[in-house]
């Protein structure tokens, strides 16, 4: 849940080895999604992040889109079966015009 997201944020901000993180079906909500987005701003090792089948909605989607504009290491981001909505989808699409590694 969201507490796990906060713990993951702290771990990812100091991580220097983890490259692949699979969090499918982890019941992560918007608070966890925003926490992960914040961690992605400074993380320089994570290449794959799977977030399928969670409870992420527009707030998390927009936060991820904003943070990934500057991320140069993440290559794969999976967001299937969440509740992102069209607004977050548009922002994620706009981010993909800027981010050259995803």
């Amino acid at each position: 849940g969201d507490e796990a997201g906060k713990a993951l944020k702290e771990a990812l901000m100091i991580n220097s080895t983890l490259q692949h993180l699979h969090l499918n079906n982890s019941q992560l909500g918007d608070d966890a999604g925003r926490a992960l987005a914040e961690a992605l701003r400074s993380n320089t090792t994570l290449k794959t992040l799977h977030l399928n089948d969670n409870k992420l909605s527009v707030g998390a989607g927009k936060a991820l889109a904003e943070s990934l504009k500057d991320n140069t290491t993440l290559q794969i981001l999976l967001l299937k079966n969440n509740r992102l909505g069209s607004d977050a989808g548009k922002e994620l699409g706009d981010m993909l015009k800027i981010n050259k590694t995803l």
Side-chain angles (χ1 to χ4, degrees), residues 3-37:
E3 289 302 316
K6 292 173 187 174
L8 284 165
K9 169 192 157 188
E10 292 174 18
L12 286 173
M13 290 179 83
I14 60 171
N15 168 59
S16 62
T17 56
L18 185 69
Q19 295 183 358
H20 308 282
L21 183 58
H22 295 224
L23 295 170
N24 296 333
N25 200 26
S26 297
Q27 304 298 309
L28 300 177
D30 270 356
D31 287 344
R34 284 192 280 276
L36 287 170

Side-chain angles (χ1 to χ4, degrees), residues 2-3 23 42 50 64 76 86 91-92 96:
D2 290 328
E3 289 302 316
L23 295 170
S42 60
H50 291 201
L64 285 165
I76 298 171
S86 59
E91 290 197 29
L92 287 162
L96 289 172

Side-chain angles (χ1 to χ4, degrees), residues 19-21 36 40 43-51 64 67-68 70-78 95-96 99-102:
Q19 295 183 358
H20 308 282
L21 183 58
L36 287 170
L40 290 172
N43 181 281
T44 58
T45 58
L46 198 64
K47 294 181 180 181
T48 304
L49 179 58
H50 291 201
L51 295 171
L64 285 165
S67 69
L68 290 172
D70 299 320
N71 183 292
T72 58
T73 53
L74 196 67
Q75 298 171 0
I76 298 171
L77 174 64
L78 301 181
M95 173 273 297
L96 289 172
N99 183 306
K100 301 302 180 197
T101 58
L102 276 171

